[in-house]
């Protein structure tokens, strides 16, 4: 429709230029110009109206999406904290169970496993703390493998009887001595 309005304007200009002294042709040219401007005006108003409707729709859908994402993130954080609480309880029970099993085994007696702050803390007996580095790594790797065999996927740190850090599990699953 906008093109039609511009065509009316072009026709009006052409009529105006062709009619040097004809009063009737000049009036016709003015009428064509008025019709052309009216068509352009109505078309522009309609386009603006559509644009405002689209913006309103976009704003409404944006607000709806924002409220949905907020409610999703709240439910996800509740779900994640619930999952973390389940993991914490499971790992704490596993640590207590393994500690009691180790106490009944003569070769592993003295090891104590606890789950705190998202990681396993293993207290090792004095006999292990004084072993050579390779022997310590072998013992610590055995404890890590034991935990992993129970699907415990948390970091592991090793401490002596006084609470001093001896070693930790690396990201690759190995052992880093301090």
């Amino acid at each position: 429709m906008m093109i039609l309005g511009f065509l009316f304007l072009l026709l009006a200009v052409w009529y105006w230029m062709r009619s040097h002294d004809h009063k009737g042709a000049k009036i016709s040219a003015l009428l064509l110009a008025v019709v052309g401007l009216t068509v352009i005006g109505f078309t522009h108003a309609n386009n603006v109206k559509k644009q405002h409707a689209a913006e309103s729709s976009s704003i409404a859908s944006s607000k709806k999406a924002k409220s949905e994402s907020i409610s999703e993130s709240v439910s996800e954080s509740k779900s994640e904290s619930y999952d973390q609480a389940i993991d914490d309880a499971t790992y704490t029970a596993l640590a207590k169970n393994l500690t009691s099993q180790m106490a009944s085994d003569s070769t592993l007696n003295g090891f104590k496993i606890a789950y705190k702050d998202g990681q396993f803390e293993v207290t090792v007996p004095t006999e292990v703390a004084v072993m050579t580095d390779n022997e310590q790594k072998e013992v610590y790797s055995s404890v890590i493998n034991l935990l992993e065999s129970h699907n415990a996927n948390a970091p592991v740190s090793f401490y002596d009887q006084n609470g001093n850090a001896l070693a930790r599990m690396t990201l690759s699953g190995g052992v880093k001595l301090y």
Side-chain angles (χ1 to χ4, degrees), residues 63-114:
K63 285 182 180 178
K64 182 179 178 184
K66 191 174 191 179
S67 68
E68 286 175 356
S69 74
I70 288 171
S71 65
E72 270 183 24
S73 67
V74 167
S75 66
E76 284 177 6
S77 66
K78 285 181 182 177
S79 174
E80 288 173 4
S81 64
Y82 178 75
D83 290 346
Q84 184 62 41
I86 295 289
D87 286 348
D88 288 348
T90 303
Y91 289 162
T92 301
L94 175 64
K96 287 179 182 177
N97 185 23
L98 290 177
T99 298
S100 66
Q101 286 179 11
M102 289 177 170
S104 63
D105 185 343
S106 62
T107 58
L108 298 176
N109 192 9
F111 282 88
K112 294 178 184 139
I113 301 175

Side-chain angles (χ1 to χ4, degrees), residues 119-125 129 140 156-167 178:
Q119 73 171 5
F120 287 101
E121 296 179 355
V122 180
T123 304
V124 298
Y140 299 154
V156 183
S157 296
F158 297 90
Y159 298 92
D160 65 9
Q161 297 291 329
N162 298 323
N164 298 319
L166 298 173
Y178 294 123

Side-chain angles (χ1 to χ4, degrees), residues 21-172:
D21 295 330
H22 303 295
K23 202 171 208 176
K26 287 189 179 194
I27 292 174
S28 296
L30 285 175
L31 287 175
L32 283 173
V34 168
V35 169
L37 289 174
T38 304
V39 169
I40 290 172
F42 281 130
T43 304
H44 179 68
N46 191 23
N47 287 344
V48 168
K49 187 176 178 183
K50 286 180 183 177
Q51 184 178 6
H52 283 293
E55 287 174 357
S56 297
S57 172
S58 173
I59 289 170
S61 66
S62 172
K63 285 182 180 178
K64 182 179 178 184
K66 191 174 191 179
S67 68
E68 286 175 356
S69 74
I70 288 171
S71 65
E72 270 183 24
S73 67
V74 167
S75 66
E76 284 177 6
S77 66
K78 285 181 182 177
S79 174
E80 288 173 4
S81 64
Y82 178 75
D83 290 346
Q84 184 62 41
I86 295 289
D87 286 348
D88 288 348
T90 303
Y91 289 162
T92 301
L94 175 64
K96 287 179 182 177
N97 185 23
L98 290 177
T99 298
S100 66
Q101 286 179 11
M102 289 177 170
S104 63
D105 185 343
S106 62
T107 58
L108 298 176
N109 192 9
F111 282 88
K112 294 178 184 139
I113 301 175
Y115 184 77
K116 297 178 188 171
D117 300 326
Q119 73 171 5
F120 287 101
E121 296 179 355
V122 180
T123 304
V124 298
T126 308
E127 303 85 48
V128 175
V130 295
M131 290 180 173
T132 66
D133 288 353
N134 287 337
E135 290 172 331
Q136 283 185 35
K137 282 185 179 183
E138 190 174 313
V139 170
Y140 299 154
S141 293
S142 297
V143 173
I144 291 171
N145 290 338
L146 176 66
L147 288 168
E148 288 177 346
S149 71
H150 288 86
N151 296 321
N153 297 320
V156 183
S157 296
F158 297 90
Y159 298 92
D160 65 9
Q161 297 291 329
N162 298 323
N164 298 319
L166 298 173
R168 66 172 171 80
M169 181 176 86
T170 63
L171 293 176
S172 63

